[in-house]
Amino acid sequence: MAQVRPMRADARRNYERLLKVAAEAFAEHGESASLDDIAKRAGVGSGTLYRHFPTRQALLEAAYVGRVEALGSRADELAAQLPPGEALTEWLYELCVGSIQVRGLKALLGSAVTDGSTAALTACGTTVRGAADRLIEAARADGFLRADLEPVELLRLAHGVTTAAELADGKGTRIRRYLALVTEGLRA
Amino acid sequence: MAQVRPMRADARRNYERLLKVAAEAFAEHGESASLDDIAKRAGVGSGTLYRHFPTRQALLEAAYVGRVEALGSRADELAAQLPPGEALTEWLYELCVGSIQVRGLKALLGSAVTDGSTAALTACGTTVRGAADRLIEAARADGFLRADLEPVELLRLAHGVTTAAELADGKGTRIRRYLALVTEGLRA
DNA sequence: TACCATGCGGAGAGAGCCCCCGGTTGGCAA
DNA sequence: TTGCCAACCGGGGGCTCTCTCCGCATGGTA
């Protein structure tokens, strides 16, 4: 079922140009970049954009799958070359930095760890949750993390840290500091 | 300078109705509630709304000063009847709960601890920072908090915790848990 | 009572979102 | 090659929202 006949050549062309332009636009203006504008810049009508990507979320997701997957493989890379605790710490840092630098990515990652989200949260959610699972499992086995911490909770807290760092200066300078505060606790 | 002649009666009437309606609207629809709609519901033209409150931020702020001030006095109340550490913890909890339950308040409190914010962040910023200062100073003196923690950092982290809890279920059920995680740290 | 600064209101320009449908075209079958 | 038609295109248009502008109403005062 769901016979997937290949896209017509013109459709595929438009699809790809939209993705490219969208990634730029979201990075520049954040997740609320104008969709009509993206269509215009890609040289297609807005109808075409909405046919390929029914919702803003769909476009956002499609535009950044690559980046999210890079985050996933980066996790394995770090796991291979650092002790579990450090690998996790560094990965979280890169996650937060990406969330701030690539505007729009934060929104995507956020919705990937939202509970009430529409059913299956797609590739991105799976990818990033999977990566986190692996790193956390290792870190926990190594005695670095408390045992009662769910992976998704850590991802949500990382999102929170990003938000906090954004409030500070909008540029992510404070990420390392806030991440350390959260990891080590606020107690004397 | 800045001769402050009292508002004309009709102006004052409109001003107050706008505030009341705005508080309801922001609470219901979040900070992006429609301003024209608020004007309509208050029975005034949109021009009137924009004259009294030039920006969305100004209206948001004016609509919630009361609530923010309540948060300020609540801090002293708690300080008077609980040990410093508990007072701080409880206050932070109430801060986060308010941020989630009263949609729009979160945005206001967030901008109150933003660095690049436009010059003087007004009454709300001062109030909430003041309250935090007092509680934190006491908690620190009591050996509850690490010494290198700036009050504004804690407020930002609280904002982050709120964001994280919002991702979880949108209702704030997880606030206590996440606040505890951050306070105690994630280490084993 | 009459004057006029102060304040009102809503029309309208501008920007976005998204749907819809008449026209076009890629790709296949003959 | 040619011709056909499903798939696809594009942008007009209805809607919502923001924010400004200016002719008109009215509260407060002399």
Side-chain angles (χ1 to χ4, degrees), chain A residues 86-150:
Chain A
E86 287 174 42
L88 177 61
T89 304
E90 179 59 21
W91 186 73
L92 286 176
Y93 174 69
E94 294 181 12
L95 179 78
C96 293
V97 168
S99 293
I100 283 194
Q101 283 178 351
V102 183
R103 307 190 46 186
L105 185 56
K106 188 185 167 213
L108 177 58
L109 291 173
S111 70
V113 292
T114 301
D115 202 52
S117 81
T118 45
L121 199 6
T122 66
C124 291
T126 315
T127 304
V128 78
R129 285 189 197 214
D133 277 355
R134 277 170 274 143
L135 287 171
I136 290 169
E137 178 52 35
R140 189 150 54 192
D142 202 45
F144 182 83
L145 279 186
R146 47 196 291 171
D148 68 339
L149 186 67
E150 303 270 343

Side-chain angles (χ1 to χ4, degrees), chain B residues 4-16 52-53:
Chain B
V4 263
R5 89 164 54 202
M7 256 181 186
R8 236 169 65 175
D10 52 348
R12 156 150 247 88
R13 227 177 8 248
N14 286 331
Y15 183 90
E16 253 140 33
H52 285 303
F53 309 99

Side-chain angles (χ1 to χ4, degrees), chain B residues 1 16 35 44 46 50 58 72 80 84-85 90 103 106 117 120 127-128 187:
Chain B
M1 57 182 64
E16 253 140 33
L35 296 188
V44 305
S46 51
Y50 286 101
E90 178 59 21
R103 307 190 46 188
K106 187 183 168 215
S117 82
T127 304
V128 78
R187 288 275 164 74

Side-chain angles (χ1 to χ4, degrees), chain A residues 115 148 153 168 177 183 186, chain B residues 115 148 153 168 177 183 186:
Chain A
D115 202 52
D148 68 339
E153 289 182 320
R177 159 98 175 142
T183 308
L186 308 176
Chain B
D115 202 50
D148 68 340
E153 290 182 320
R177 159 100 175 139
T183 308
L186 308 176

Side-chain angles (χ1 to χ4, degrees), chain B residues 130-144:
Chain B
D133 278 355
R134 278 170 274 144
L135 287 171
I136 291 169
E137 178 52 34
R140 188 150 55 191
D142 202 45
F144 182 84

